[in-house]
């Protein structure tokens, strides 16, 4: 690659960095003030690009010319900001005091609703916008043609950065924003209306996301997949730059965009005669950068350690052993599951659905093992689920290993992955730990996606079936037995001394360390245990379906696990089981009921979050505790009257 080609790639990186910065800086602003991880931020980017397409086409049809085009771009950004303000007022204000992960669940549900709303309004086809008036040509740079519009984008990023700096440092509103990032409670004590400040910041953040989408219209078509792809990149930029740091967001966007452009420019390179494709790294290079930054500088390039959240979410109560009544209910449920295949004449699909629920429940319980008692949120738990599934498939297909042995060894492969990644992850906390798990998960996904000779690449693997003696309902009973046994073992571990040490590290790492508990080692061990049982779920899944693809370890699978845990309730051991059952049954039913099942499903999740902020099981446990308290109070009052 000569100097002119290198310069062209660097300029491409600068143009891409500006668009990425517009999205990420809005997300950084929102998190810095509200402490909400807005998973729906990518949806506002998508809305911005669709609005820009619609408005520019309408103005062009009316003969508005260049003024209509640029006016449509500006109006699309403004409308996106107003939509963001409406979402903050209607939805987020009601959940600011909920645990942070439940806020994440609510914004994920919003992603589903917005995506189907755009599908209904604009259709499924990609929409390619017009080229920007006055910028349809190219500029010659060292003999190479560089698009004029990309030069415009290169200028936009620094201008927005400078305007935001002026806003935050030279205006009273900017001073309030900076104060809110430091101490929101003190700001409220001084008489500042926090509600409207949060609304204004959310509107500004979503306006910037909409602007990021609008300016991308001449470069890429509007499509329904932009929401999730954009939010992943935006999260990476915000974390690499430092949560809440605006200059850090621009620096991180610049770094990631330039590294990705250089990988494209380098292409295939030979090292000592061995070919290496840098182009393939573009699938995962941003996550490699994030992993390196978080390992060596845990708070990002220009960030600093965030203070502990001071929301008024209830403190988790100690775990209690099951009562005789609870154990009897569990026994009845297991017995009903055992009887279910006998009813296949009347309910032919029920055993198939229940087998999916069982593997999903084990996956959710393994995630809850580190999230609830361990206090470690993971955005990449699907990596171990996928390692178990692919491990079983490779042992069967490549090594021709017997199915029972492959089923036994596959979870150990997942455990080995958790052993390696967990060593780095447990040295972080909060959102930084969660994002590092996401980075490792995406690295594993990219290897599986591109290792055609072993994993089948994007096509996956087929023909991974259980042994012949496990045909019919036998494999269902094997799944039921292994899932029940695995959940029982994890429950026993949590009530063993190890489980108490794990919860002590979650509640107060300093106090746990003071009494002699090696908190990091305990958390690392918990990471490995959770990875092994997630691998069991993955291996059971692949033998049930007979096929596997890279989607089983993608971001969406990790998000599904989070939704199941939070839906059931992260404060209870039963929560992930109930959450997995509700999630899978609802999803299966709604998919068959309507083409817009994402919106319906997202709406139901929003209602459940609003109605059950502690999760379904947490809510009913709270109701039962209140009823028991009133009953005990009434009994005590009656005794006093008799006395």
């Amino acid at each position: 690659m000569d100097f002119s080609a290198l310069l062209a790639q660097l300029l491409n990186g600068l143009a891409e960095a500006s668009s990425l910065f517009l999205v990420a800086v809005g997300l950084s602003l929102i998190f810095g003030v509200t402490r909400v991880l807005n998973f729906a931020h990518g949806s506002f980017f998508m809305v911005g690009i669709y609005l820009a397409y619609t408005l520019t086409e309408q103005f062009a049809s009316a003969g508005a010319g260049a003024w209509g085009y640029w006016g449509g771009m500006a109006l699309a950004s403004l409308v996106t900001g107003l939509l963001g303000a409406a979402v903050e007022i209607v939805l987020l204000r009601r959940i600011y005091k909920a645990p942070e992960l439940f806020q994440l669940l609510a914004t994920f549900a919003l992603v589903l609703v917005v995506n189907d709303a755009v599908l209904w309004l604009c259709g499924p086809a990609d929409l390619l916008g017009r080229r920007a008036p006055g910028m349809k040509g190219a500029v010659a740079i060292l003999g190479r043609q560089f698009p004029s519009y990309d030069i415009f984008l290169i200028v936009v990023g620094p201008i927005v950065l400078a305007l935001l700096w002026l806003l935050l440092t030279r205006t009273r509103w900017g001073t309030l924003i900076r104060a809110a990032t430091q101490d929101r409670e003190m700001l409220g004590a001084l008489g500042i209306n926090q509600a409207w400040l949060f609304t204004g910041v959310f509107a500004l953040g979503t306006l910037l996301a909409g602007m990021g989408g609008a300016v991308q219209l001449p470069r890429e078509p509007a499509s329904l997949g932009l929401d999730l792809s954009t939010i992943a990149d935006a999260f990476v930029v915000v974390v690499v730059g430092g949560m809440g740091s605006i200059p850090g967001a621009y620096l991180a966007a610049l770094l990631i965009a330039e590294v990705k452009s250089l990988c494209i420019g380098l292409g295939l390179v030979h090292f000592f005669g061995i070919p290496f494709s840098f182009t393939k790294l573009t699938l995962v290079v941003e996550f490699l950068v994030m992993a390196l930054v978080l390992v060596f500088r845990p708070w990002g390039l220009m960030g600093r350690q965030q203070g502990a959240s001071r929301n008024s979410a209830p403190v988790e109560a100690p775990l209690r052993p099951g009562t005789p009544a609870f154990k009897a209910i569990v026994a009845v449920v297991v017995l009903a599951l055992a009887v279910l295949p006998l009813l296949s004449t009347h309910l032919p699909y029920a055993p198939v659905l229940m087998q999916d629920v069982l593997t999903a429940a084990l996956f959710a319980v393994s995630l809850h093992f580190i999230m609830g008692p361990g206090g470690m949120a993971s955005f990449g738990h699907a990596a171990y689920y996928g390692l178990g599934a692919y491990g079983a498939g490779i042992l069967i297909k490549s090594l021709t290993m017997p199915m029972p042995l492959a089923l036994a060894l596959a979870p150990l492969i997942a455990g080995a992955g958790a052993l390696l990644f967990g060593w780095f992850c447990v040295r972080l906390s909060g959102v930084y730990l969660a994002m590092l798990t996401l980075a490792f998960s995406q690295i594993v996904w990219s290897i599986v996606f591109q290792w055609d000779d072993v994993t089948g690449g994007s096509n996956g693997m087929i023909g991974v079936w259980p042994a012949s003696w496990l045909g019919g309902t036998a494999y269902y009973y094997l799944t039921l037995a292994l899932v029940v046994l695995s959940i029982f073992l994890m429950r026993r571990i949590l009530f063993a001394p190890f489980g108490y040490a794990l919860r002590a590290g979650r509640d107060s790492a300093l106090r746990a360390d003071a009494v002699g508990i090696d908190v990091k080692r305990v958390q690392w061990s918990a990471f490995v245990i959770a990875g092994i049982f997630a691998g069991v779920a993955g291996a059971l899944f692949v033998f049930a379906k007979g096929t596997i693809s890279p989607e089983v370890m993608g971001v969406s699978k990790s998000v599904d696990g989070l939704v199941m845990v939070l839906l059931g309730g992260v404060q209870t051991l039963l929560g992930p089981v109930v959450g997995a059952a509700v999630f899978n049954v609802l999803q299966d039913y709604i998919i068959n009921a309507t083409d817009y099942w994402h919106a319906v499903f997202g709406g139901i999740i929003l209602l459940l979050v609003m109605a059950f902020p502690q999760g379904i099981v947490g809510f009913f446990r709270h109701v039962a505790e209140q009823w028991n308290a009133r009953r005990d109070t009434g009994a005590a009052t009656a005794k006093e009257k008799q006395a």
Side-chain angles (χ1 to χ4, degrees), residues 313-589:
V315 176
E316 293 186 19
L319 297 177
R320 301 185 182 91
T323 62
F326 172 78
K327 294 177 181 178
I329 293 173
V330 171
V332 170
V333 171
V334 173
L335 180 62
L337 292 174
V339 172
L340 189 60
L342 304 179
L343 305 176
S344 58
T345 304
H346 305 286
L347 301 170
Y349 182 61
V352 177
L353 176 60
M354 194 50 58
Q355 191 162 276
D356 291 343
V357 170
L358 287 170
T359 55
L362 180 55
F363 174 57
V365 172
S366 69
L367 175 58
H368 175 267
F369 188 86
I370 55 175
M371 273 185 64
M376 297 177 288
S378 173
F379 290 174
H381 200 61
Y384 315 113
Y385 183 86
L387 284 172
Y390 268 100
I394 292 170
L395 292 174
I396 288 280
K397 303 291 288 186
S398 299
L399 302 180
T400 62
M401 193 172 286
M403 178 265 176
L405 186 58
L407 180 61
L409 293 180
L412 299 182
I413 297 174
L419 182 71
L420 173 61
F421 300 146
W423 189 87
F424 297 98
C425 292
V426 298
R427 279 151 179 77
L428 305 180
S429 61
V431 69
Y432 295 99
L433 184 153
M435 293 303 295
L436 187 57
T437 62
L438 174 62
F440 286 136
S441 176
Q442 287 301 101
I443 291 169
V444 174
W445 171 86
S446 70
I447 294 172
V448 168
F449 188 82
Q450 299 179 88
W451 201 0
D452 295 333
D453 295 338
V454 177
T455 65
S458 59
N459 294 321
M461 305 175 69
I462 59 174
V464 187
W465 296 108
S468 57
W469 56 273
L470 286 171
T473 60
Y475 189 74
Y476 172 88
Y477 286 114
L478 175 66
T479 301
L480 176 62
L482 288 179
V483 169
V484 171
L485 177 62
S486 298
I487 294 175
F488 173 77
L489 288 176
M490 280 188 279
R491 184 179 177 87
R492 291 297 300 170
I493 291 171
L494 290 178
F495 284 103
F498 174 85
Y500 288 107
L502 180 63
R503 282 177 276 159
R506 175 202 64 188
D507 294 336
S508 178
L510 291 176
R511 292 179 181 177
D513 186 67
V515 298
I517 297 174
D518 190 336
V519 174
K520 296 304 179 186
R521 180 173 294 180
V522 169
Q523 290 177 334
W524 188 20
S525 301
F527 223 89
V528 175
I529 293 170
I532 290 173
F533 284 110
V536 174
L540 290 173
F541 170 83
V542 69
F543 286 122
K545 302 301 180 183
T547 183
I548 184 176
S549 65
E551 283 73 22
V552 300
M553 58 173 57
V555 176
S556 59
K557 185 65 179 179
S558 294
V559 172
D560 287 348
L562 282 169
V563 172
M564 287 185 278
V565 172
L566 297 173
L567 199 59
V570 74
Q571 296 91 356
T572 64
L573 297 181
L574 185 61
V577 177
V578 174
V582 172
F583 180 87
N584 284 272
V585 172
L586 276 178
Q587 189 177 59
D588 184 80
Y589 175 78

Side-chain angles (χ1 to χ4, degrees), residues 239-240 292-303 428 432:
V239 171
V240 170
L292 288 172
V293 169
L294 290 181
V295 167
F296 293 104
R297 189 175 174 83
W299 312 114
L301 296 175
M302 299 184 69
L428 305 180
Y432 295 99

Side-chain angles (χ1 to χ4, degrees), residues 92-467:
L92 293 183
R93 278 192 187 180
R94 303 173 184 272
I95 59 173
Y96 277 137
K97 294 184 178 181
E100 293 176 357
L101 287 174
F102 279 91
Q103 298 168 356
L104 181 68
L105 177 58
T107 57
F108 167 73
L110 189 61
V111 171
L112 301 178
V113 174
V114 172
N115 191 277
D116 264 7
V118 174
L119 172 64
W120 179 65
L121 290 170
C122 302
D126 293 356
L127 304 176
L128 184 61
R130 299 171 182 267
R131 300 180 70 181
M135 298 184 185
K136 298 180 180 179
V139 177
I141 300 177
L142 296 181
R144 292 182 178 269
Q145 298 296 312
F146 191 75
S148 302
Y149 188 76
D150 283 7
I151 295 178
F152 164 74
L153 284 182
I154 292 173
V155 175
V156 166
I159 289 177
V160 172
L161 176 62
L163 291 175
L164 286 173
W165 180 82
L166 290 173
L167 174 68
L168 295 176
T169 60
R170 295 292 187 268
T171 67
R172 181 177 182 273
W173 194 61
T175 302
L176 295 178
I177 291 175
R178 288 186 289 117
T181 62
Q182 300 297 322
D183 197 323
R184 292 181 293 172
E185 284 72 16
M186 181 59 71
L187 193 68
L190 294 174
I192 304 299
N193 190 326
Q194 292 187 67
W196 287 112
L197 179 65
F198 288 5
T199 301
V201 169
F202 202 88
L204 176 61
T206 51
L207 183 148
L208 290 168
M211 182 187 297
V215 299
Q216 277 293 98
L217 183 62
R219 303 181 80 225
E220 66 176 310
S223 65
L224 294 171
L226 287 174
D227 49 1
L228 292 181
S229 63
T230 301
I231 190 57
D233 290 341
F235 270 138
V236 170
V237 169
V238 170
V239 171
V240 170
M243 300 294 286
S245 172
I246 292 176
Y250 185 75
L251 179 61
L254 197 61
L255 173 64
I256 291 170
E258 291 294 2
V259 171
K260 188 174 287 190
S261 294
L262 286 175
C263 287
I264 295 173
L266 289 172
L268 186 66
V269 178
H270 289 79
F271 292 102
F272 304 104
I274 301 174
F276 183 83
S277 176
F278 279 92
T279 306
K280 291 184 176 181
L281 280 180
T282 57
L283 286 174
V284 73
V285 67
E286 60 265 43
F287 295 100
L288 287 171
V289 171
M290 181 172 70
L292 288 172
V293 169
L294 290 181
V295 167
F296 293 104
R297 189 175 174 83
W299 312 114
L301 296 175
M302 299 184 69
R304 56 186 176 184
Q305 183 175 0
Q306 298 287 344
S309 175
R310 287 194 246 173
N311 59 40
S312 58
V315 176
E316 293 186 19
L319 297 177
R320 301 185 182 91
T323 62
F326 172 78
K327 294 177 181 178
I329 293 173
V330 171
V332 170
V333 171
V334 173
L335 180 62
L337 292 174
V339 172
L340 189 60
L342 304 179
L343 305 176
S344 58
T345 304
H346 305 286
L347 301 170
Y349 182 61
V352 177
L353 176 60
M354 194 50 58
Q355 191 162 276
D356 291 343
V357 170
L358 287 170
T359 55
L362 180 55
F363 174 57
V365 172
S366 69
L367 175 58
H368 175 267
F369 188 86
I370 55 175
M371 273 185 64
M376 297 177 288
S378 173
F379 290 174
H381 200 61
Y384 315 113
Y385 183 86
L387 284 172
Y390 268 100
I394 292 170
L395 292 174
I396 288 280
K397 303 291 288 186
S398 299
L399 302 180
T400 62
M401 193 172 286
M403 178 265 176
L405 186 58
L407 180 61
L409 293 180
L412 299 182
I413 297 174
L419 182 71
L420 173 61
F421 300 146
W423 189 87
F424 297 98
C425 292
V426 298
R427 279 151 179 77
L428 305 180
S429 61
V431 69
Y432 295 99
L433 184 153
M435 293 303 295
L436 187 57
T437 62
L438 174 62
F440 286 136
S441 176
Q442 287 301 101
I443 291 169
V444 174
W445 171 86
S446 70
I447 294 172
V448 168
F449 188 82
Q450 299 179 88
W451 201 0
D452 295 333
D453 295 338
V454 177
T455 65
S458 59
N459 294 321
M461 305 175 69
I462 59 174
V464 187
W465 296 108

